[in-house]
Amino acid sequence: QVQLVESGGGLVQAGGSLRLSCASSGSIFRINDMGWARQAPGKQRELVALITSGGNPRYADSVKGRFTISRDNAKNTVYLQMNSLKPEDTAVYYCKQDVTTTTRATTSYWGQGTQVTVSS
């Protein structure tokens, strides 16, 4: 099995920055795409950033130019640097890793979620 552990959420004023981390462990053969999604109260979960196994990032329009996704393959970790935060960025943030396990099955795994609150 595979476990994901997130860290780095919290309360920040508008215009501030936060960095989220998500590390995976377990029966990992290879990690493919990694990403971050968020879910605000009463809204659907939306993918805000994704990074391919080759290191190519993609962003939702709502965060482009403010958020940066990166990965450290040696540590099985994906990061989300969030700058110029806005109150509308307030949500629970979930990391996602597409993992091929040692049995060669590929599954999407999700972190437990971390709260990000941006005050105005």
Side-chain angles (χ1 to χ4, degrees), residues 1-4 24-33 76 97-110:
Q1 272 295 353
V2 176
Q3 299 79 39
L4 271 60
S24 59
S25 61
S27 304
I28 298 170
F29 173 70
R30 181 181 63 239
I31 302 176
N32 306 300
D33 292 352
N76 292 344
Q97 296 191 14
D98 295 337
V99 178
T100 300
T101 64
T102 53
T103 63
R104 300 304 189 267
T106 299
T107 305
S108 294
Y109 292 89
W110 290 86

Side-chain angles (χ1 to χ4, degrees), residues 36-98:
W36 290 91
R38 67 186 181 188
Q39 187 165 20
K43 295 189 177 181
Q44 287 190 326
R45 188 176 298 190
E46 61 166 342
L47 186 68
V48 297
L50 179 145
I51 186 165
T52 67
S53 57
N56 296 311
R58 286 178 238 163
Y59 301 97
D61 288 343
S62 57
V63 306
K64 205 171 292 183
R66 301 187 297 120
F67 290 11
T68 302
I69 189 170
S70 59
R71 62 190 288 166
D72 184 334
N73 293 326
K75 295 181 179 179
N76 292 344
T77 299
V78 59
Y79 304 97
L80 187 67
Q81 177 67 44
M82 305 185 292
N83 298 330
S84 302
L85 282 161
K86 304 176 181 180
E88 51 263 43
D89 294 317
T90 295
V92 178
Y93 283 71
Y94 298 90
C95 68
K96 173 179 170 288
Q97 296 191 14
D98 295 337

